[in-house]
Every structure is written in structure tokens, then in C-alpha cells.
């Protein structure tokens, strides 16, 4: 029943009868867990015979394996799930074999033997037959195809698209594969021998279970010895005999096989579920056929069997694996989970199963509410929870799973503005932090907080079938921010404006049109109409910005529609402007037969010659544009819309549009020209336009605009947002001869929907929590693992985290990102500079806080004289023109040179305590005595310093 709650469209039933052939052959795939080896063999025999895919998944403590048998001639339709790559043809030779050259802004990503189709070629039209062609890679930009000697000569154009050819795979039945497993999927290159060893050890464990009708008892030495003996006997009889059975590994398996550990079961459940999906769909490459995992690094060094014996508690399975001492450590942990989405839900579930926070506290924050689309992968939520806060709902769900867990939920964004909530005391109360975030900026912020407070951080992320995990350990490893992915390659502006060549370009153009027409321009017009200080803001703008504001004000205030008919007229004019007139203007500037200065056709390579569209009300895409544009324009003004399609078609068909008249205007052919056009823009002409528009408009700040800007929402199918973007994109694609995209694909690209699969989420959360156990044990650097997975291939890889880089100040003094100067407050700026000079023999030449320059050796003398005697935090407050942060510290960056040789050196940041948390906790009655003792013991303490403490108004008056 609980399983059925996850998706009402999936029928779920139970079966308590025999698993015989008549029953099993009804299915496309059968997955077994926790079965004897004899039962696995019996079921697989039936499945293999009847063409039913068979999967077995098992976990034994920190060990696990998956076996797959998808039968004979299993067809894989898409081996990796990646989008087919498209390239643009630069040239095709007439020879044997023909050589295809692609434009030089993209390397060929294909491999020898892959297949492509070639289309839209002018001249050598014999290649436009849609036939998949096998290629041979010759260089970064060339590959060969068939003999093209007798084909027509290549002129221009051409598009190359990767073709994913089906592959047939043969699988051996379990009975055969057990004896001859072939290659194992390697998951950790540091343990290349382990899979073959575990193959023997698992067989020995199954034999023990068959003989005793149970698994070996936890840390029972006699049972472990028996399994080791069985392993040696199996190995001796094997045709793939090992040189030597690994005694330690076999015994580790035996000691903990009876136990179950939530991170391992979560990980293996996700991986095995992905294999089920492959068996059902033929998409992605299946596991062929064995994979073994182990996490022996987390097994404790305690050898006393009593440590692992059951206590008749819900954690007995865990205790059998990691012992009572480590389990107790987990219960006492206090963790901060940032994000309660897909990964956050899985992590919380695992924590509830492990009992993390039952004697400590789990803090979880997420400001988002639950949407219907979340339910497919965020399994702590149900349909009834839609609209509720994720953090609060997730907390309630895991409390139902484990009533002993102590969990505090927040709906607070992490950031500088909430450091009064997540402050020093909060971080000091934590064991560590776990990120479950979906954006880089928040990740970098939390990374910085963990460095500042020296807390461990568990980082992870997923993208479809891909996932990664990273463990950040104070003083031991580099941080999340130590390495960055290269920035995504952007699309040149002129390509979007005038020369699109792929559907992504037209979708982005349509999204820009949506934002401009229905959000940005109405917002500008509303600001003009209603803002009382508009004139002041307007004067600070440049002429191009002023022109944009006034044009928006005219379009949305002066030319406003009176009724829905006016909205339809507006939409019809936009159709003509976007898909006819602008294209005719482009071809007026760059005719189809135009050649460049070097004699090449202008419209060649990535530049596709467009064709203007003629409006046809019977064309579904044309009509969709009109209706969606008119309805969104009507929404801006609160105008009621017409629902009768026939009435709309009849009205729109009668709308008159002005014929195209070419203009004298510049259109950039590339980004360099785009910049040149901007730089050479006539300011006087802009000023004239501004003055002319001002005369047409009502007085700024005096109009009730009654405008409602549209906020883009991709998940509401009735709001016309995706309908407008899809129709606009596809009409522009038609202009340029680009294959159109479905609504679904358009929504994914425009909405920047990141592919998400709960299988990957489960795998990643399992790996994250394995590292959490290592953190609890305080392991050495080499024990930790960063993980990388791609379930589509399938691929698993683990690497040791990188130690933090060291920066040398002197031969005997170096530092890493985890180091800092901790300095208590009460220092004037001058005392701060002297402190560094005397204690560290470093001369400070510059001090900054955020973007503010607090001090520099080259600043004006009057500024220096004003700032040097002031308390340092007071200087920061004056310079930044902002109140000091909510916490007790400010972070300062300093530029230094060594006193002895005046050589510049990089040094860590300074954490300067400007609030005394001890004094801030004192009562008013305690304060006078402390104040008296402080002033008498340190005559240099100034009133200005004390006034910056976090104190009450009564205490402040006592200071004065």
C-alpha cells in the first residue's frame, strides 16, 4: 500500500503463490532479492527460457552485488541517452572516399564506425537521401564517407546528425555465468582484484546459508572460518581459479553479512532499479553481467564480538555491520541539511533509518513549496502535500518513519541575509553539513560557511543518469570552490538575432520575446506610470536605456488595447513583424546570392538563408501564436478573452496589415559588427527620439497603469506561456529551415528543466552517507572517496579527494584555505596594522572588507588620519555605508609584505570578532561589574569599541 501511494497510475499487487513458470513468464522483467542461490538459479532458468529479463540484487553488510540476464539478442536502442549531435558541413569532396569537412568552431565528437545522416546539402544532393552512413574519423574536423566521385559537385549548406544504431547483446544464463563470469564491471580501480574475490566469497556465503538455513552470526569466528573454507574449496574447483583467496576480505563479508546498512541498500536499490528500466525500455546499456561493491573502509577496528550483537532494537541490522559504538555516534550527530528536494528527501530517509539525530538534532531548510512535478522523485511527498513547504513536510514524513528523530525545519534561504539565524552558535552546534542544492551560488556560499566554521561538507548532484559526490573534510581536503567547471559556451548575440541554425537558438529567441513583450516592457511602463521618483531615476540612465523605457511606456500606455479584438490585432501585427517583415529586411540587407569579400557565399556554413512566412489562419502553429500572444497581452491589461476559435479565426482573417517597406538600417553579420554598431550608435539621434517620445506620453508618475506583468511559469498548461514560446520558436525555425521541436522539448529547454531520475538520486544519497560514516570515524585522507556515476553506461568511479593547496609565507610557514587569522575585536585600525607587524613581521599595505577598501598605504593622508584611530569595525561600517553583519565576525582580506625583505606574500583572510558574545549574554545587573573590571584592566579599551558590542540600551547608557 505504501508503494502504491507513490504513483496512482502504477498498479501494484502482491503474490503469495508459487513462483512457477506460468506465473513468471507473464512479466517483461523479474527482479529478486534475498533469495538462496538455488532459487536464483531456478528462477533465472525459467526467465532465460521464456525471454524474460532477470535481475538479482543483494546486500550483505557493506557488500553488495547485481547480476543481469536479459536473454539472447537483447536490443539496445540508445546506448547512452545523450542527445544526437548535429554539425554543420563546410565542404564535401568528390573522391573515393569522400571527405566531409565541418565548420571549424566545433570538433567532431564521433568515433570510428558511428553512423550519421547528411541533409540539406546543395549541389551534392545525392547525400540528402536520409540513409545512415558509417564514417571514419580522419582529423578533428574531417571524416570520410562512401565514394563520392560520381556525385554532383558540392555547392553549399549541409547538416550532419548522429544516428544511434540499435545494438543486440547476448546474455549468458546465471547457471553458466556463475562458473564463467567473464569480465566484472570495475567500480573502483584501487580494488581491481576485489570483484573476482567477492564472486567466490558470495558463492561461499550462499553455500553456508543453504547448509545452515541462515546467514553467519555477526562476528562469529567459527562461522567466518567455515565460509573461508568453503571459499577455498570453490576456488580449487573453479575453471577461473584465483591465485589465492583473500582471507581478510572473505572474513569481513562473513562478519557483517547478516546485517543491513541503509546507505548500502539505498545505493544498490537505485542501481538495480535502473537496470529494470533498461530491461523494460531498451534504453541505455545494461550491466553485462556482474558488478560487486564493497565499502570495507567503514568497518570499525573493534574485534570484540559483543560490539556487534543485537539489542532487540530497530538498529540491530546496523549494529551487526558497524557496531554499537559507531551507531551511538551516529545517533548523537547534529547535521544541517540544506535543501529538501530529490537528494534531500533520500538523505533524510537514510538518516531516519540510521537513527541520525535521535540524540542530536537534524536541521533542514528549504524555502520551496511542493509542486506536482516533484512527486516523481521526491518520495517523502504525496499528492495531498502539493503547495506545502518541502522542509516542514519532509520533517513530518521522516518523523513518521522514526519517531525518535529530532528534526527542526526552516523555510529560510541560506545567504548573508540570514546569518542572524544560521550564526556562529548554530554552526558550532553542528557535527557537519550536507548540501542537497540545485544551484552553484548556494553551494559556493555553504562551502564558504563550512570553511569559515571549519565544518565538514557532503556535496552531491545529479543530471539524469549522471551523479557525483564530494566529501570536504576540514584541514584534509580542498573545498567545493577549489575547482570549477568551465563556463558554458554562450550563443553569439548576432546568431540569436539574425542567424539561428539549431532549435535551441529559436527557443531562446522565443523566450526572450516572451520576457520582453509580457514582463519587462509592461514592468517598465508600469514603473513610468506609477513611480513617484521616476524622473530622478530617468536622468541617471543613458540614452539607449531612456529610449527603451519610453518606447515601452508608449507601447503599453498610449497604444493600450480596449478589448480582446485589439489584442488579436496586436498579435497579428506581431506575427507580420517577427516572421515576415524582419526576414524581408534581413534579405534586403543580405540578399540570398550575396558573396563575401573573399568570394564565398554569405549564406553558407552556419548561416541559413531564411524565407518569410505568409500568414495562414488554417495553419495550426500560426493560429497558436495569435491566440497565445493575444491572451497574454490581454492578461497584461486584465481583459476578458474570447474562447470561440471560429470567431477568432473569422476576425483575424479580416485584419489588414501594412505591406513591407525596406528601411535603411544596419544589421550585424557577426558579434564584432554588433559591438561596432553599438559603439558607433548616434547619441544625438537617440536624444531626438527620446524628446519626441516624451511629447507623446502622459506625465511620469501620474497614471494608473493597471498593468500586470506575466511571470513565466512552465508547469501550468492553461496559461499560454509554453504555447507562445513553442509556436514562436517553431515559426522562426520554419523561417530558417530548422526542424521544429515538440512542446515537450521546447518546455524542457525554455524552462531549463534538468533531467532528474530517482534511481540516480538514490545511488548518490547512498554514497554520500557512506562518506558520512567515515567522517564520524575521523578517517585519514586516503579512506575518503569522491564518487562519479553514470547509470546509463553503466559507469562507476571513485577517487581520493585532493589535499588543499599550500601557499608559502616563509620557509617554516605555509597555509591552506582552512587557515585564517582569528583576531578578537577592540583594536583600532592602527593597532590592527601594528599587531601584524609585531606578531607576524608582516607589513599590511591594504585591508578590504567585501568590495570596500578599508585601508591602503597609498590612500589620501587625510583619510588615513581619520581612519587609523577608529575601531576597525567602525571603519568598516563607515566605509561600506552598511550596518555590520548580524553575526559576531567580519571577514577581512589583507595584502602583506614580509618585513625582512619587503617581498609581497599571499596570506589567509582575517576573521575579526567585533562583538563579544560573552558580554552580549550578560544581564543588565551583571553588566556594571564586568564593565568596571574591563576598563580598569585594560585602559586602552575605548568607549567606541564598547559601543559596537551587542548590548542592551541600559548597558549602552552605563558605558556613556
Amino acid at each position: 500500500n505504501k508503494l502504491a501511494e507513490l504513483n496512482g497510475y502504477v498498479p501494484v499487487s502482491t503474490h503469495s503463490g508459487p513462483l512457477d513458470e506460468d506465473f513468471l513468464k507473464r512479466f517483461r522483467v523479474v527482479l529478486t532479492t534475498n533469495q538462496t542461490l538455488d532459487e536464483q538459479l531456478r528462477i533465472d532458468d525459467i526467465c532465460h527460457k521464456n525471454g524474460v529479463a532477470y535481475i538479482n540484487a543483494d546486500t550483505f553488510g557493506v557488500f553488495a552485488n547485481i547480476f543481469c540476464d536479459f536473454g539472447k539478442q537483447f536490443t539496445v536502442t540508445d546506448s547512452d541517452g545523450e542527445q544526437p549531435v548535429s554539425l554543420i558541413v563546410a565542404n564535401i569532396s568528390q573522391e573515393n572516399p569522400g571527405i566531409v569537412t565541418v565548420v571549424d568552431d566545433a570538433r567532431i565528437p564521433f568515433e570510428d564506425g558511428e553512423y550519421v545522416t547528411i541533409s540539406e546539402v546543395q549541389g551534392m544532393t545525392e547525400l540528402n537521401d536520409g540513409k545512415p552512413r558509417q564514417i571514419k574519423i580522419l582529423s578533428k574536423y574531417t571524416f570520410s564517407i562512401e565514394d563520392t566521385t560520381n556525385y554532383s559537385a558540392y555547392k553549399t549548406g549541409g547538416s550532419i546528425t548522429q544516428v544511434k544504431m540499435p545494438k543486440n547483446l547476448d546474455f549468458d544464463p546465471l547457471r553458466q555465468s556463475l562458473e564463467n563470469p567473464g569480465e566484472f564491471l570495475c567500480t573502483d580501480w584501487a580494488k581491481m582484484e576485489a570483484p573476482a574475490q567477492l564472486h567466490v566469497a558470495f558463492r561461499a556465503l550462499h553455500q553456508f546459508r543453504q547448509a545452515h538455513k541462515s546467514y553467519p552470526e555477526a562476528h562469529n569466528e567459527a562461522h567466518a572460518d567455515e565460509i573461508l573454507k568453503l571459499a577455498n574449496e570453490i576456488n580449487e574447483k573453479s575453471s577461473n581459479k584465483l591465485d589465492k583467496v583473500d582471507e581478510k576480505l572473505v572474513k569481513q563479508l562473513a562478519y557483517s553479512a547478516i546485517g543491513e546498512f541503509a546507505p548500502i541498500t539505498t545505493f544498490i536499490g537505485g542501481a538495480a532499479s535502473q537496470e529494470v528500466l533498461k530491461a523494460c525500455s531498451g534504453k541505455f546499456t545494461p550491466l553485462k553481467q556482474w558488478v560487486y561493491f564493497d565499502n570495507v573502509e567503514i568497518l570499525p577496528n573493534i574485534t570484540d564480538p559483543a560490539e556487534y550483537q543485537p539489542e532487540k532494537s530497530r538498529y540491530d541490522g546496523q549494529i551487526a555491520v558497524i557496531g554499537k559504538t559507531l551507531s551511538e555516534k551516529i545517533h548523537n550527530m547534529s547535521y544541517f541539511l540544506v535543501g529538501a528536494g530529490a537528494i534531500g528527501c533520500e538523505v533524510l530517509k537514510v538518516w531516519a533509518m540510521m537513527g541520525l539525530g535521535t540524540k542530536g538534532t537534524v536541521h533542514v531548510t528549504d524555502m520551496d513549496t511542493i509542486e506536482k512535478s516533484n512527486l516523481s522523485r521526491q518520495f517523502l511527498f504525496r499528492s495531498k502535500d502539493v503547495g506545502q513547504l518541502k522542509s516542514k513536510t519532509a520533517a513530518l514524513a521522516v518523523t513518521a518513519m522514526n519517531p525518535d528523530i529530532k528534526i527542526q525545519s526552516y523555510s529560510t534561504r541560506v545567504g548573508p541575509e540570514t546569518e542572524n539565524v544560521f550564526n556562529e552558535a548554530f554552526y558550532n552546534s553542528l557535527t557537519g553539513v550536507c548540501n542537497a542544492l540545485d544551484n552553484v551560488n548556494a553551494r559556493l556560499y555553504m562551502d564558504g560557511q563550512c570553511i569559515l566554521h571549519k565544518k565538514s561538507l557532503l556535496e552531491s548532484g545529479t543530471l539524469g543518469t549522471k551523479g557525483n559526490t564530494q566529501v570536504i573534510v576540514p584541514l584534509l581536503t580542498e573545498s567545493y570552490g577549489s575547482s570549477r567547471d568551465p563556463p558554458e559556451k554562450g550563443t553569439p548575440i548576432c546568431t540569436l538575432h539574425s542567424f539561428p541554425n539549431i532549435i535551441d537558438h529559436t527557443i531562446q529567441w522565443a523566450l526572450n520575446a516572451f520576457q520582453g513583450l509580457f514582463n519587462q516592457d509592461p514592468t517598465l511602463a508600469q514603473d513610468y506610470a506609477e513611480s513617484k521618483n521616476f524622473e530622478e531615476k530617468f536622468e541617471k540612465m543613458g540614452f539607449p536605456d531612456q529610449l527603451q523605457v519610453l518606447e515601452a511606456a508608449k507601447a503599453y500606455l498610449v497604444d493600450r488595447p480596449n478589448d480582446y479584438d485589439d489584442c488579436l490585432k496586436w498579435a497579428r501585427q506581431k506575427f507580420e513583424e517577427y516572421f515576415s517583415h524582419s526576414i524581408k529586411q534581413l534579405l534586403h540587407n543580405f540578399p540570398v546570392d550575396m558573396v563575401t569579400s573573399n568570394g564565398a557565399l554569405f549564406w553558407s556554413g552556419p548561416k541559413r538563408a531564411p524565407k518569410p512566412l505568409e500568414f495562414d489562419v488554417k495553419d495550426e502553429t500560426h493560429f497558436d501564436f495569435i491566440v497565445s500572444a493575444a491572451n497574454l497581452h490581454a492578461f497584461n491589461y486584465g481583459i476578458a478573452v474570447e474562447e470561440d476559435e471560429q470567431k477568432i479565426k473569422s476576425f483575424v482573417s479580416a485584419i489588414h496589415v501594412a505591406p513591407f517597406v525596406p528601411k535603411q538600417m544596419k544589421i550585424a553579420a557577426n558579434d564584432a559588427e554588433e559591438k561596432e554598431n553599438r559603439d558607433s550608435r548616434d547619441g544625438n539621434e537617440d536624444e531626438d527620439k527620446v524628446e519626441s517620445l516624451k511629447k507623446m506620453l502622459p506625465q511620469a508618475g501620474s497614471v494608473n497603469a493597471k498593468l500586470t506583468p506575466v511571470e513565466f511559469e512552465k508547469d501550468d498548461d492553461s496559461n499560454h506561456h509554453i504555447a507562445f514560446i513553442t509556436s514562436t520558436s517553431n515559426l522562426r525555425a520554419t523561417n530558417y529551415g530548422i526542424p521544429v521541436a515538440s512542446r515537450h522539448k521546447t518546455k524542457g529547454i525554455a524552462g531549463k528543466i534538468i533531467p532528474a531520475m530517482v534511481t540516480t538520486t538514490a545511488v548518490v544519497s547512498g554514497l554520500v552517507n557512506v562518506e558520512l560514516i567515515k567522517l564520524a570515524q575521523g578517517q585519514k585522507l586516503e579512506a575518503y572517496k569522491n564518487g562519479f556515476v553514470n547509470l546509463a553506461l553503466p559507469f562507476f568511479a571513485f577517487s581520493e579527494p585532493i589535499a588543499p593547496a599550500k601557499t608559502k609565507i616563509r620557509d617554516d610557514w605555509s597555509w591552506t584555505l582552512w587557515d585564517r587569522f582569528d583576531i578578537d575585536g577592540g583594536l583600532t585600525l592602527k593597532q590592527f596594522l601594528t599587531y601584524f607587524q609585531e606578531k607576524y613581521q608582516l607589513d599590511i599595505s591594504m585591508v578590504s572588507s567585501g568590495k570596500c577598501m578599508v585601508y591602503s598605504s597609498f590612500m589620501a593622508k587625510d583619510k588615513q588620519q581619520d581612519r587609523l584611530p577608529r575601531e576597525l569595525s567602525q571603519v568598516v561600517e563607515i566605509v561600506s555605508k552598511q550596518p555590520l553583519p548580524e553575526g559576531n565576525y567580519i571577514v577581512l582580506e589583507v595584502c602583506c609584505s614580509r618585513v625582512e625583505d619587503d617581498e609581497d606574500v599571499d596570506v589567509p583572510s582575517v576573521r575579526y570578532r567585533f562583538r563579544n558574545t560573552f558580554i552580549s549574554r550578560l544581564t543588565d545587573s551583571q553588566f556594571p561589574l564586568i564593565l568596571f573590571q574591563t576598563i580598569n584592566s585594560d585602559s586602552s579599551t575605548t568607549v567606541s569599541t564598547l559601543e559596537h558590542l551587542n548590548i542592551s540600551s541600559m548597558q549602552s547608557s552605563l558605558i556613556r
Side-chain angles (χ1 to χ4, degrees), residues 219-414:
H219 278 256
N220 184 307
E221 196 64 34
H223 287 179
D225 285 338
E226 184 177 342
I227 289 174
L228 177 62
K229 181 183 176 185
L230 289 169
N232 281 308
E233 290 172 358
I234 291 167
N235 186 49
E236 285 299 320
K237 297 175 184 176
S238 174
S239 57
N240 296 288
K241 185 179 176 182
L242 302 169
D243 292 338
K244 185 181 179 182
V245 171
D246 187 331
E247 178 180 341
K248 182 179 179 182
L249 193 64
V250 172
K251 285 197 167 186
Q252 284 173 323
L253 171 65
Y255 290 152
S256 63
I258 198 170
E260 284 190 344
F261 192 41
I264 308 300
T265 56
T266 298
F267 170 82
I268 210 70
S273 297
Q274 189 66 58
E275 296 305 311
V276 173
L277 298 182
K278 294 174 186 179
C280 293
S281 66
K283 186 167 184 176
F284 307 143
T285 303
L287 168 66
K288 199 167 183 301
Q289 295 184 248
W290 294 92
V291 63
Y292 286 91
F293 301 91
D294 77 81
N295 285 282
V296 294
E297 297 85 3
I298 66 174
L299 292 174
N301 293 322
I302 302 171
T303 56
D304 182 3
E307 174 74 9
Y308 306 93
Q309 300 314 305
E311 297 180 323
K312 295 186 178 179
S313 77
R314 66 179 295 160
Y315 306 112
D316 282 350
Q318 179 170 289
I319 288 169
V321 181
I322 62 171
K324 297 171 185 175
T325 304
L326 187 50
S327 280
E328 190 67 15
K329 267 191 177 181
I330 293 169
H331 298 166
N332 282 290
M333 283 180 165
S334 289
Y335 249 84
F336 184 26
L337 178 65
V338 188
I343 293 176
C345 281
E346 286 296 307
V347 167
L348 278 175
K349 180 202 71 177
V350 175
W351 287 359
M353 296 301 99
M354 291 195 298
L356 188 148
T358 52
K359 296 181 181 178
T361 307
V362 171
H363 302 268
V364 56
T365 188
D366 197 312
M367 60 184 295
D368 287 346
T369 55
I370 299 161
E371 298 177 7
K372 188 176 180 180
S373 60
N374 299 148
L375 302 180
S376 66
R377 63 193 182 281
Q378 299 175 20
F379 285 171
L380 295 184
F381 310 139
R382 301 292 181 267
S383 298
K384 63 181 174 58
D385 301 320
V386 171
Q388 301 299 311
L389 283 168
K390 287 185 177 180
S391 55
K392 184 178 180 181
T393 308
L396 290 171
V398 294
T399 303
M401 293 177 176
N402 187 343
D404 295 331
I405 193 170
K406 297 176 180 66
I407 186 164
Q408 175 70 46
S409 65
Y410 309 79
S411 57
T412 309
R413 184 197 301 274
V414 290

Side-chain angles (χ1 to χ4, degrees), residues 864-880:
Q864 283 193 15
Q865 289 170 4
D866 176 62
R867 295 179 186 183
L868 285 170
R870 292 181 183 273
E871 198 277 330
L872 183 55
S873 62
Q874 187 183 31
V875 178
V876 171
E877 192 169 29
I878 292 169
V879 173
S880 67

Side-chain angles (χ1 to χ4, degrees), residues 700-935:
S702 64
V703 182
N704 183 1
K706 295 182 180 178
L707 276 169
T708 306
V710 176
E711 296 295 335
F712 177 55
E713 170 52 62
K714 66 183 184 299
D715 292 323
D716 182 354
D717 290 339
S718 66
N719 63 13
H720 298 282
H721 297 190
I722 294 299
F724 174 84
I725 293 169
T726 302
S727 59
T728 304
S729 168
N730 285 343
L731 288 169
R732 188 163 173 81
T734 305
N735 279 139
Y736 286 87
I738 299 168
V740 299
S742 66
R743 180 190 176 96
H744 178 75
K745 181 176 180 177
T746 303
K747 178 179 176 179
I749 296 172
K752 295 180 178 169
I753 297 173
I754 297 172
M757 299 189 72
V758 75
T759 49
T760 318
T761 306
V763 166
V764 161
S765 74
L767 294 177
V768 159
N769 281 291
V770 167
E771 299 309 306
L772 183 146
I773 304 305
K774 297 175 188 176
L775 289 168
Q777 295 168 307
Q779 299 229 24
K780 294 180 180 178
L781 178 65
E782 55 269 23
Y784 294 100
K785 300 287 184 183
N786 292 337
F788 310 89
V789 304
N790 187 343
L791 299 180
L793 299 179
F795 171 81
F796 300 88
F798 300 95
S799 66
E800 185 181 304
I802 299 171
K806 290 186 176 181
T807 303
K808 189 167 77 171
I809 298 176
R810 294 188 177 92
D811 289 340
D812 60 346
W813 184 12
S814 60
W815 62 277
T816 74
L817 62 91
W818 294 102
D819 293 306
R820 62 171 176 256
F821 296 107
D822 271 313
I823 298 178
D824 281 336
L827 298 179
T828 64
L829 175 56
K830 184 176 181 179
Q831 289 171 334
F832 178 79
L833 301 178
T834 304
Y835 176 84
F836 267 80
Q837 194 174 54
E838 293 179 352
K839 183 163 184 176
Y840 301 112
Q841 289 75 56
L842 294 172
D843 283 328
I844 293 179
S845 58
M846 191 181 298
V847 182
S848 62
S849 175
K851 297 178 181 178
C852 299
M853 179 78 71
V854 177
Y855 165 83
S856 72
S857 57
F858 51 80
M859 70 172 26
K861 292 298 179 187
D862 58 333
K863 281 189 177 180
Q864 283 193 15
Q865 289 170 4
D866 176 62
R867 295 179 186 183
L868 285 170
R870 292 181 183 273
E871 198 277 330
L872 183 55
S873 62
Q874 187 183 31
V875 178
V876 171
E877 192 169 29
I878 292 169
V879 173
S880 67
K881 299 178 182 177
Q882 297 286 335
L884 292 170
E886 293 286 348
N888 299 314
Y889 298 98
I890 49 176
V891 177
L892 305 168
E893 301 297 333
V894 294
C895 294
C896 296
S897 60
R898 294 192 294 250
V899 169
E900 63 268 24
D901 56 10
D902 202 31
E903 189 73 29
D904 289 341
V905 288
D906 290 329
V907 298
S909 57
V910 178
R911 189 171 75 153
Y912 181 81
R913 181 190 288 273
F914 68 92
R915 285 195 181 96
N916 188 312
T917 53
F918 168 64
I919 290 181
S920 71
R921 289 196 300 268
L922 294 175
T923 63
D924 289 342
S925 60
Q926 293 171 319
F927 188 78
L929 177 60
I930 298 298
L931 174 63
F932 176 80
Q933 291 173 338
T934 302
I935 293 174

Side-chain angles (χ1 to χ4, degrees), residues 148-216:
T148 58
T149 307
N150 297 320
Y151 290 179
S152 308
Y154 173 80
K155 290 182 181 178
T156 188
S159 178
I160 302 158
T161 305
Q162 181 185 26
V163 177
K164 299 198 174 185
M165 302 296 284
K167 297 178 182 177
N168 290 326
L169 302 177
D170 284 336
F171 289 76
D172 293 329
L174 176 59
R175 200 172 295 278
Q176 179 182 333
S177 187
L178 197 63
E179 295 295 335
N180 297 290
E183 286 190 22
F184 300 99
L185 177 65
C186 185
T187 59
D188 190 339
W189 296 105
K191 303 176 180 180
M192 291 186 65
E193 305 300 324
Q197 291 282 349
L198 289 173
H199 190 69
V200 172
F202 272 51
R203 291 183 67 183
L205 180 65
H206 281 296
Q207 282 197 18
F208 180 96
R209 181 188 180 188
Q210 190 77 16
H212 295 270
K213 308 303 180 190
S214 67
Y215 290 115

